[in-house]
Structure formats: C-alpha cells, structure tokens
Amino acid sequence: MQHNASRLTVSVALCTYNGSRFIAEQLRSILTQSPPPDQLVISDDGSTDGTLDVVRAELAAQPARARAMLQVTILENASPLGVTRNFESAVRACTGDIIALSDQDDVWVPGRLARAKETFVARPELLLLHSDARLVDDDGVPIGQTLFEAIEFTPGEQREVKDGHALAVLVRRNVVTGATVLFRRNLLNHAIPFSDVWVHDEWLAIIASIVGTVDFDSEQVIDYRQHTGNQIGAAKPTLRVKISRLREPRDERNQHLVGRVEALLGRVIGLGEAVPTGVVEIVTKKLEHERFRRDLPVTPLFRVVPVLREASAGGYRRYGRAHYDVLRDLVQPDT
C-alpha cells in the first residue's frame, strides 16, 4: 500500500570531511525543513578540523521538541573511506522510505523535502529524483549559473528523461548530481555494494534507471556551493578546458571507461529478473563501444577510418557524446 505524504518517512544521508566552515548552515537548512526529516545520518570521514564538534553543537541548539522527534546517527570513520564508500556507509544506516543525499557545504531551499515527498507519493513508480540547483560561491552568493547549465543537461536529454528513457541518457554520460538526489530505500537492494569504479551518484542513478524510473525536478531546490574545497563540484567547461582535454593522454581514461561498463554489466547480469528485457544488450553494446575506443591504433592517422565507421554506425551517438568523442578519439595522444 502506498504511503500518504505525512507517513512517508525521510532519512538524510549527510557525509562530512573537514567541513566545519559550512556544516552548521547546511544542518540548519535541513532541520528547518517543513516537515523536517525523520532521520539524520551523518558519516564523517576522519575530519581533523572539528567538524563533528560543530555538528553536535548545532544539534544541541535545536529546540527540544525537534530533537526529540529526530533520530540522529553519527558514524565516525577511523580512517577515511573516500566519498563513495562514505556515502555507502551513510545510506546503509538509513531507515526511511526515502533517502536524501546531502553534501556538507550546500543549503537546502525551504520546502524542498515537502516538494519531493509529494512527488514520490504521486508517482509510486518513481525510484530516484534529482534536480537543478543554483550555483553559489563560498559566501553563498549566486554566480549566475544553474547546475543544469553547468553540466550542459540539454533540452533533448531532458525530454528523453521525461519520456522514460533515462537509461539512454545515462549510458552516454552522467547528468545526476548527488547533492540533489532523493531515492526510495529499496533501490539499495540492487545498488549495494556500490561499485569501486563509479562515483556513488552515478552508480545510484544508472542502477535506478535500469530497475525503475528516474526523473528530475527542474526547480533549483538547493544552493550548490562551488569552492576550492569541493571534492566533487560543477563548473561548465570553458572552450580552453575542452581543448585541453583533447590533448590529454587517452589510454588510462579509456581503460577506466571500459572497467566501469564491465562492472555495470556484471551487476546487471547479477540482478537477474529485476532487469527488464533488452537492458543486458544495451550495456553489452556500450561495453563493445568502449572497448573499440580503447583499442584504437596508437597513431592518430590510423584511427580515422575506424572512428568514422563507428560514427556512421551510430555508436558515438548512442553510447557517448557524439561529435566531441569522435574528435577526442581522432586527436588525443595515446600516452
């Protein structure tokens, strides 16, 4: 039976690492949501700057009634696990129907949780929801760009997702940012353990697109802070950055891309009947494409014919960033 909005419980998985500068503001933005979350899980990755002292002080400063209604779990990693494993640790401890991921340095817009809960109640098939965000600087001042603009989440890609084809987008590239993600806890039945060669948000998103429905909220429901301490941030690549990527050695990156798809295919096969018909073929074709790219000749001139042949067959359009990846494969040095 589907929960109504008031009974749908929400856990927040908040990961911290030397975040004492911003964590109090983020905590306040979470705890003052109306309604507030039912559970807050904080997993600290070995901070040395007093982050957890700030956390405990902020929690203690909350009204007694609010503290009594909130279940708080604080996990302290003796040695750093890294971003992906830290988030895995946090979500494993979550008990809510819905899990919201949270970075330590952002700010949630008032009403964010209520809006998301209503969406999940109205759409029982929805497994994962992500959103746009307003990009802000260290001081919380808008920098004049949204998250979707920064990652170049195109209108065409957005239409595909809205039409129920999120996997077709995500098999080409990731467009889901973890700081904006909420998902049903039963996604973990398929996604745990997280892959060692995927970032947590990418992994959750593509597994969700395989076993359920992924959608996005076009509203900017968080302020996504961009600063030098970001472990993972968002910045629209300039022309200079794009050109510089064309000069980077291709061998290590391409082997990494192959490894990611190999890991995904292994998980997909392991999920058995939970995976719809045709998905194994899609991921297998993606793997063939990435192996083709990895195995291209060392000499750029000798790549021209096979690359153009693969482009003509639609491989770059279906499994990559089309013309940019074609150019990349034609000009990047091998080592």
PDB file of all heavy atoms in Angstrom, residues 15-44:
ATOM      1  N   CYS A  15      27.209  13.373   4.439  1.00  0.00           N
ATOM      2  CA  CYS A  15      28.607  12.979   4.575  1.00  0.00           C
ATOM      3  C   CYS A  15      29.484  14.200   4.805  1.00  0.00           C
ATOM      4  O   CYS A  15      29.308  15.241   4.152  1.00  0.00           O
ATOM      5  CB  CYS A  15      29.065  12.222   3.335  1.00  0.00           C
ATOM      6  SG  CYS A  15      28.374  10.558   3.254  1.00  0.00           S
ATOM      7  N   THR A  16      30.428  14.063   5.739  1.00  0.00           N
ATOM      8  CA  THR A  16      31.283  15.190   6.096  1.00  0.00           C
ATOM      9  C   THR A  16      32.754  14.797   6.032  1.00  0.00           C
ATOM     10  O   THR A  16      33.125  13.647   6.266  1.00  0.00           O
ATOM     11  CB  THR A  16      30.965  15.694   7.519  1.00  0.00           C
ATOM     12  OG1 THR A  16      31.146  14.626   8.462  1.00  0.00           O
ATOM     13  CG2 THR A  16      29.543  16.212   7.611  1.00  0.00           C
ATOM     14  N   TYR A  17      33.570  15.803   5.731  1.00  0.00           N
ATOM     15  CA  TYR A  17      35.022  15.661   5.793  1.00  0.00           C
ATOM     16  C   TYR A  17      35.619  17.058   5.862  1.00  0.00           C
ATOM     17  O   TYR A  17      35.554  17.823   4.887  1.00  0.00           O
ATOM     18  CB  TYR A  17      35.580  14.903   4.587  1.00  0.00           C
ATOM     19  CG  TYR A  17      37.095  14.844   4.593  1.00  0.00           C
ATOM     20  CD1 TYR A  17      37.770  14.079   5.540  1.00  0.00           C
ATOM     21  CD2 TYR A  17      37.844  15.580   3.680  1.00  0.00           C
ATOM     22  CE1 TYR A  17      39.150  14.042   5.581  1.00  0.00           C
ATOM     23  CE2 TYR A  17      39.226  15.552   3.704  1.00  0.00           C
ATOM     24  CZ  TYR A  17      39.884  14.787   4.653  1.00  0.00           C
ATOM     25  OH  TYR A  17      41.250  14.766   4.694  1.00  0.00           O
ATOM     26  N   ASN A  18      36.143  17.413   7.013  1.00  0.00           N
ATOM     27  CA  ASN A  18      36.729  18.741   7.225  1.00  0.00           C
ATOM     28  C   ASN A  18      35.798  19.836   6.696  1.00  0.00           C
ATOM     29  O   ASN A  18      36.210  20.705   5.922  1.00  0.00           O
ATOM     30  CB  ASN A  18      38.102  18.825   6.559  1.00  0.00           C
ATOM     31  CG  ASN A  18      39.148  18.008   7.302  1.00  0.00           C
ATOM     32  OD1 ASN A  18      38.965  17.640   8.460  1.00  0.00           O
ATOM     33  ND2 ASN A  18      40.263  17.717   6.640  1.00  0.00           N
ATOM     34  N   GLY A  19      34.561  19.783   7.161  1.00  0.00           N
ATOM     35  CA  GLY A  19      33.554  20.727   6.678  1.00  0.00           C
ATOM     36  C   GLY A  19      33.072  21.714   7.715  1.00  0.00           C
ATOM     37  O   GLY A  19      31.941  22.214   7.621  1.00  0.00           O
ATOM     38  N   SER A  20      33.905  22.023   8.699  1.00  0.00           N
ATOM     39  CA  SER A  20      33.460  22.866   9.806  1.00  0.00           C
ATOM     40  C   SER A  20      33.037  24.266   9.359  1.00  0.00           C
ATOM     41  O   SER A  20      32.215  24.910  10.005  1.00  0.00           O
ATOM     42  CB  SER A  20      34.568  22.987  10.861  1.00  0.00           C
ATOM     43  OG  SER A  20      35.740  23.572  10.310  1.00  0.00           O
ATOM     44  N   ARG A  21      33.555  24.718   8.236  1.00  0.00           N
ATOM     45  CA  ARG A  21      33.249  26.088   7.794  1.00  0.00           C
ATOM     46  C   ARG A  21      31.792  26.247   7.387  1.00  0.00           C
ATOM     47  O   ARG A  21      31.186  27.295   7.639  1.00  0.00           O
ATOM     48  CB  ARG A  21      34.172  26.469   6.634  1.00  0.00           C
ATOM     49  CG  ARG A  21      33.940  27.875   6.106  1.00  0.00           C
ATOM     50  CD  ARG A  21      34.879  28.187   4.959  1.00  0.00           C
ATOM     51  NE  ARG A  21      34.605  29.490   4.389  1.00  0.00           N
ATOM     52  CZ  ARG A  21      35.141  29.948   3.258  1.00  0.00           C
ATOM     53  NH1 ARG A  21      36.004  29.186   2.592  1.00  0.00           N
ATOM     54  NH2 ARG A  21      34.833  31.136   2.795  1.00  0.00           N
ATOM     55  N   PHE A  22      31.212  25.216   6.768  1.00  0.00           N
ATOM     56  CA  PHE A  22      29.884  25.364   6.191  1.00  0.00           C
ATOM     57  C   PHE A  22      28.813  24.456   6.809  1.00  0.00           C
ATOM     58  O   PHE A  22      27.627  24.644   6.543  1.00  0.00           O
ATOM     59  CB  PHE A  22      29.933  25.071   4.688  1.00  0.00           C
ATOM     60  CG  PHE A  22      30.846  25.969   3.899  1.00  0.00           C
ATOM     61  CD1 PHE A  22      31.971  25.456   3.260  1.00  0.00           C
ATOM     62  CD2 PHE A  22      30.589  27.319   3.803  1.00  0.00           C
ATOM     63  CE1 PHE A  22      32.805  26.274   2.524  1.00  0.00           C
ATOM     64  CE2 PHE A  22      31.422  28.164   3.072  1.00  0.00           C
ATOM     65  CZ  PHE A  22      32.539  27.637   2.431  1.00  0.00           C
ATOM     66  N   ILE A  23      29.196  23.475   7.605  1.00  0.00           N
ATOM     67  CA  ILE A  23      28.256  22.441   8.005  1.00  0.00           C
ATOM     68  C   ILE A  23      27.092  22.968   8.838  1.00  0.00           C
ATOM     69  O   ILE A  23      25.961  22.468   8.727  1.00  0.00           O
ATOM     70  CB  ILE A  23      28.996  21.304   8.761  1.00  0.00           C
ATOM     71  CG1 ILE A  23      28.058  20.130   9.034  1.00  0.00           C
ATOM     72  CG2 ILE A  23      29.617  21.813  10.057  1.00  0.00           C
ATOM     73  CD1 ILE A  23      27.533  19.446   7.812  1.00  0.00           C
ATOM     74  N   ALA A  24      27.319  23.983   9.670  1.00  0.00           N
ATOM     75  CA  ALA A  24      26.234  24.493  10.514  1.00  0.00           C
ATOM     76  C   ALA A  24      25.105  25.071   9.664  1.00  0.00           C
ATOM     77  O   ALA A  24      23.919  24.819   9.928  1.00  0.00           O
ATOM     78  CB  ALA A  24      26.772  25.555  11.479  1.00  0.00           C
ATOM     79  N   GLU A  25      25.463  25.820   8.624  1.00  0.00           N
ATOM     80  CA  GLU A  25      24.438  26.417   7.752  1.00  0.00           C
ATOM     81  C   GLU A  25      23.651  25.334   7.025  1.00  0.00           C
ATOM     82  O   GLU A  25      22.418  25.411   6.904  1.00  0.00           O
ATOM     83  CB  GLU A  25      25.094  27.371   6.754  1.00  0.00           C
ATOM     84  CG  GLU A  25      24.094  28.123   5.890  1.00  0.00           C
ATOM     85  CD  GLU A  25      24.751  29.085   4.919  1.00  0.00           C
ATOM     86  OE1 GLU A  25      25.996  29.051   4.778  1.00  0.00           O
ATOM     87  OE2 GLU A  25      24.016  29.878   4.290  1.00  0.00           O
ATOM     88  N   GLN A  26      24.339  24.306   6.555  1.00  0.00           N
ATOM     89  CA  GLN A  26      23.639  23.222   5.873  1.00  0.00           C
ATOM     90  C   GLN A  26      22.720  22.476   6.837  1.00  0.00           C
ATOM     91  O   GLN A  26      21.575  22.153   6.490  1.00  0.00           O
ATOM     92  CB  GLN A  26      24.655  22.264   5.241  1.00  0.00           C
ATOM     93  CG  GLN A  26      24.049  20.981   4.666  1.00  0.00           C
ATOM     94  CD  GLN A  26      23.127  21.214   3.473  1.00  0.00           C
ATOM     95  OE1 GLN A  26      22.342  22.152   3.451  1.00  0.00           O
ATOM     96  NE2 GLN A  26      23.214  20.345   2.490  1.00  0.00           N
ATOM     97  N   LEU A  27      23.196  22.188   8.036  1.00  0.00           N
ATOM     98  CA  LEU A  27      22.354  21.497   9.011  1.00  0.00           C
ATOM     99  C   LEU A  27      21.085  22.284   9.313  1.00  0.00           C
ATOM    100  O   LEU A  27      19.990  21.722   9.383  1.00  0.00           O
ATOM    101  CB  LEU A  27      23.133  21.258  10.305  1.00  0.00           C
ATOM    102  CG  LEU A  27      23.988  19.995  10.377  1.00  0.00           C
ATOM    103  CD1 LEU A  27      24.781  19.972  11.682  1.00  0.00           C
ATOM    104  CD2 LEU A  27      23.123  18.752  10.258  1.00  0.00           C
ATOM    105  N   ARG A  28      21.234  23.585   9.495  1.00  0.00           N
ATOM    106  CA  ARG A  28      20.050  24.407   9.781  1.00  0.00           C
ATOM    107  C   ARG A  28      19.051  24.349   8.638  1.00  0.00           C
ATOM    108  O   ARG A  28      17.839  24.289   8.851  1.00  0.00           O
ATOM    109  CB  ARG A  28      20.462  25.854  10.073  1.00  0.00           C
ATOM    110  CG  ARG A  28      21.106  26.046  11.437  1.00  0.00           C
ATOM    111  CD  ARG A  28      21.228  27.509  11.802  1.00  0.00           C
ATOM    112  NE  ARG A  28      22.183  28.218  10.957  1.00  0.00           N
ATOM    113  CZ  ARG A  28      23.476  28.332  11.230  1.00  0.00           C
ATOM    114  NH1 ARG A  28      23.980  27.764  12.333  1.00  0.00           N
ATOM    115  NH2 ARG A  28      24.284  29.000  10.439  1.00  0.00           N
ATOM    116  N   SER A  29      19.552  24.351   7.403  1.00  0.00           N
ATOM    117  CA  SER A  29      18.646  24.330   6.254  1.00  0.00           C
ATOM    118  C   SER A  29      17.913  22.991   6.143  1.00  0.00           C
ATOM    119  O   SER A  29      16.791  22.924   5.626  1.00  0.00           O
ATOM    120  CB  SER A  29      19.396  24.636   4.961  1.00  0.00           C
ATOM    121  OG  SER A  29      20.140  23.520   4.491  1.00  0.00           O
ATOM    122  N   ILE A  30      18.522  21.938   6.656  1.00  0.00           N
ATOM    123  CA  ILE A  30      17.897  20.613   6.645  1.00  0.00           C
ATOM    124  C   ILE A  30      16.900  20.484   7.787  1.00  0.00           C
ATOM    125  O   ILE A  30      15.751  20.056   7.595  1.00  0.00           O
ATOM    126  CB  ILE A  30      18.971  19.511   6.747  1.00  0.00           C
ATOM    127  CG1 ILE A  30      19.829  19.476   5.476  1.00  0.00           C
ATOM    128  CG2 ILE A  30      18.328  18.136   6.985  1.00  0.00           C
ATOM    129  CD1 ILE A  30      21.043  18.570   5.582  1.00  0.00           C
ATOM    130  N   LEU A  31      17.313  20.871   8.971  1.00  0.00           N
ATOM    131  CA  LEU A  31      16.493  20.658  10.165  1.00  0.00           C
ATOM    132  C   LEU A  31      15.293  21.596  10.233  1.00  0.00           C
ATOM    133  O   LEU A  31      14.328  21.319  10.955  1.00  0.00           O
ATOM    134  CB  LEU A  31      17.363  20.817  11.419  1.00  0.00           C
ATOM    135  CG  LEU A  31      18.516  19.817  11.528  1.00  0.00           C
ATOM    136  CD1 LEU A  31      19.371  20.112  12.757  1.00  0.00           C
ATOM    137  CD2 LEU A  31      18.000  18.391  11.565  1.00  0.00           C
ATOM    138  N   THR A  32      15.326  22.685   9.484  1.00  0.00           N
ATOM    139  CA  THR A  32      14.190  23.616   9.477  1.00  0.00           C
ATOM    140  C   THR A  32      13.252  23.380   8.308  1.00  0.00           C
ATOM    141  O   THR A  32      12.345  24.178   8.066  1.00  0.00           O
ATOM    142  CB  THR A  32      14.681  25.073   9.460  1.00  0.00           C
ATOM    143  OG1 THR A  32      15.547  25.274   8.331  1.00  0.00           O
ATOM    144  CG2 THR A  32      15.425  25.422  10.736  1.00  0.00           C
ATOM    145  N   GLN A  33      13.461  22.282   7.578  1.00  0.00           N
ATOM    146  CA  GLN A  33      12.503  21.912   6.533  1.00  0.00           C
ATOM    147  C   GLN A  33      11.150  21.639   7.186  1.00  0.00           C
ATOM    148  O   GLN A  33      11.065  21.192   8.329  1.00  0.00           O
ATOM    149  CB  GLN A  33      12.975  20.657   5.789  1.00  0.00           C
ATOM    150  CG  GLN A  33      14.211  20.845   4.938  1.00  0.00           C
ATOM    151  CD  GLN A  33      13.952  21.635   3.671  1.00  0.00           C
ATOM    152  OE1 GLN A  33      13.063  21.312   2.885  1.00  0.00           O
ATOM    153  NE2 GLN A  33      14.745  22.680   3.460  1.00  0.00           N
ATOM    154  N   SER A  34      10.085  21.900   6.454  1.00  0.00           N
ATOM    155  CA  SER A  34       8.746  21.655   6.983  1.00  0.00           C
ATOM    156  C   SER A  34       7.966  20.797   5.999  1.00  0.00           C
ATOM    157  O   SER A  34       7.592  21.271   4.926  1.00  0.00           O
ATOM    158  CB  SER A  34       8.014  22.989   7.218  1.00  0.00           C
ATOM    159  OG  SER A  34       6.735  22.760   7.759  1.00  0.00           O
ATOM    160  N   PRO A  35       7.728  19.512   6.348  1.00  0.00           N
ATOM    161  CA  PRO A  35       8.150  18.862   7.592  1.00  0.00           C
ATOM    162  C   PRO A  35       9.636  18.531   7.571  1.00  0.00           C
ATOM    163  O   PRO A  35      10.231  18.382   6.506  1.00  0.00           O
ATOM    164  CB  PRO A  35       7.299  17.587   7.597  1.00  0.00           C
ATOM    165  CG  PRO A  35       7.107  17.278   6.145  1.00  0.00           C
ATOM    166  CD  PRO A  35       6.968  18.605   5.459  1.00  0.00           C
ATOM    167  N   PRO A  36      10.230  18.375   8.764  1.00  0.00           N
ATOM    168  CA  PRO A  36      11.646  18.027   8.835  1.00  0.00           C
ATOM    169  C   PRO A  36      11.850  16.553   8.507  1.00  0.00           C
ATOM    170  O   PRO A  36      10.897  15.770   8.486  1.00  0.00           O
ATOM    171  CB  PRO A  36      12.002  18.316  10.299  1.00  0.00           C
ATOM    172  CG  PRO A  36      10.718  18.071  11.033  1.00  0.00           C
ATOM    173  CD  PRO A  36       9.624  18.520  10.097  1.00  0.00           C
ATOM    174  N   PRO A  37      13.086  16.129   8.286  1.00  0.00           N
ATOM    175  CA  PRO A  37      13.337  14.706   8.071  1.00  0.00           C
ATOM    176  C   PRO A  37      13.074  13.914   9.343  1.00  0.00           C
ATOM    177  O   PRO A  37      13.066  14.467  10.446  1.00  0.00           O
ATOM    178  CB  PRO A  37      14.814  14.671   7.672  1.00  0.00           C
ATOM    179  CG  PRO A  37      15.405  15.900   8.282  1.00  0.00           C
ATOM    180  CD  PRO A  37      14.326  16.938   8.212  1.00  0.00           C
ATOM    181  N   ASP A  38      12.870  12.618   9.178  1.00  0.00           N
ATOM    182  CA  ASP A  38      12.646  11.742  10.325  1.00  0.00           C
ATOM    183  C   ASP A  38      13.953  11.221  10.905  1.00  0.00           C
ATOM    184  O   ASP A  38      14.020  10.878  12.090  1.00  0.00           O
ATOM    185  CB  ASP A  38      11.774  10.554   9.895  1.00  0.00           C
ATOM    186  CG  ASP A  38      10.438  11.012   9.339  1.00  0.00           C
ATOM    187  OD1 ASP A  38       9.529  11.273  10.131  1.00  0.00           O
ATOM    188  OD2 ASP A  38      10.329  11.136   8.088  1.00  0.00           O
ATOM    189  N   GLN A  39      14.963  11.152  10.051  1.00  0.00           N
ATOM    190  CA  GLN A  39      16.255  10.623  10.485  1.00  0.00           C
ATOM    191  C   GLN A  39      17.375  11.404   9.818  1.00  0.00           C
ATOM    192  O   GLN A  39      17.281  11.772   8.645  1.00  0.00           O
ATOM    193  CB  GLN A  39      16.389   9.137  10.117  1.00  0.00           C
ATOM    194  CG  GLN A  39      17.706   8.498  10.572  1.00  0.00           C
ATOM    195  CD  GLN A  39      17.928   7.118   9.979  1.00  0.00           C
ATOM    196  OE1 GLN A  39      17.455   6.820   8.876  1.00  0.00           O
ATOM    197  NE2 GLN A  39      18.644   6.255  10.687  1.00  0.00           N
ATOM    198  N   LEU A  40      18.427  11.648  10.587  1.00  0.00           N
ATOM    199  CA  LEU A  40      19.630  12.278  10.061  1.00  0.00           C
ATOM    200  C   LEU A  40      20.804  11.351  10.343  1.00  0.00           C
ATOM    201  O   LEU A  40      21.093  11.041  11.503  1.00  0.00           O
ATOM    202  CB  LEU A  40      19.867  13.636  10.719  1.00  0.00           C
ATOM    203  CG  LEU A  40      21.166  14.362  10.353  1.00  0.00           C
ATOM    204  CD1 LEU A  40      21.203  14.717   8.871  1.00  0.00           C
ATOM    205  CD2 LEU A  40      21.337  15.617  11.211  1.00  0.00           C
ATOM    206  N   VAL A  41      21.444  10.870   9.285  1.00  0.00           N
ATOM    207  CA  VAL A  41      22.640  10.042   9.417  1.00  0.00           C
ATOM    208  C   VAL A  41      23.827  10.872   8.942  1.00  0.00           C
ATOM    209  O   VAL A  41      23.861  11.319   7.792  1.00  0.00           O
ATOM    210  CB  VAL A  41      22.531   8.748   8.591  1.00  0.00           C
ATOM    211  CG1 VAL A  41      23.846   7.971   8.660  1.00  0.00           C
ATOM    212  CG2 VAL A  41      21.378   7.885   9.085  1.00  0.00           C
ATOM    213  N   ILE A  42      24.779  11.074   9.826  1.00  0.00           N
ATOM    214  CA  ILE A  42      25.988  11.816   9.483  1.00  0.00           C
ATOM    215  C   ILE A  42      27.157  10.841   9.519  1.00  0.00           C
ATOM    216  O   ILE A  42      27.404  10.191  10.538  1.00  0.00           O
ATOM    217  CB  ILE A  42      26.238  12.971  10.454  1.00  0.00           C
ATOM    218  CG1 ILE A  42      25.084  13.981  10.378  1.00  0.00           C
ATOM    219  CG2 ILE A  42      27.562  13.661  10.153  1.00  0.00           C
ATOM    220  CD1 ILE A  42      25.135  15.061  11.434  1.00  0.00           C
ATOM    221  N   SER A  43      27.838  10.706   8.400  1.00  0.00           N
ATOM    222  CA  SER A  43      29.009   9.837   8.324  1.00  0.00           C
ATOM    223  C   SER A  43      30.230  10.712   8.080  1.00  0.00           C
ATOM    224  O   SER A  43      30.356  11.338   7.024  1.00  0.00           O
ATOM    225  CB  SER A  43      28.851   8.801   7.203  1.00  0.00           C
ATOM    226  OG  SER A  43      29.918   7.883   7.217  1.00  0.00           O
ATOM    227  N   ASP A  44      31.096  10.768   9.080  1.00  0.00           N
ATOM    228  CA  ASP A  44      32.273  11.634   8.988  1.00  0.00           C
ATOM    229  C   ASP A  44      33.488  10.813   8.594  1.00  0.00           C
ATOM    230  O   ASP A  44      33.774   9.765   9.172  1.00  0.00           O
ATOM    231  CB  ASP A  44      32.534  12.331  10.321  1.00  0.00           C
ATOM    232  CG  ASP A  44      33.679  13.310  10.216  1.00  0.00           C
ATOM    233  OD1 ASP A  44      33.485  14.394   9.640  1.00  0.00           O
ATOM    234  OD2 ASP A  44      34.794  12.967  10.676  1.00  0.00           O
TER     235      ASP A  44
END
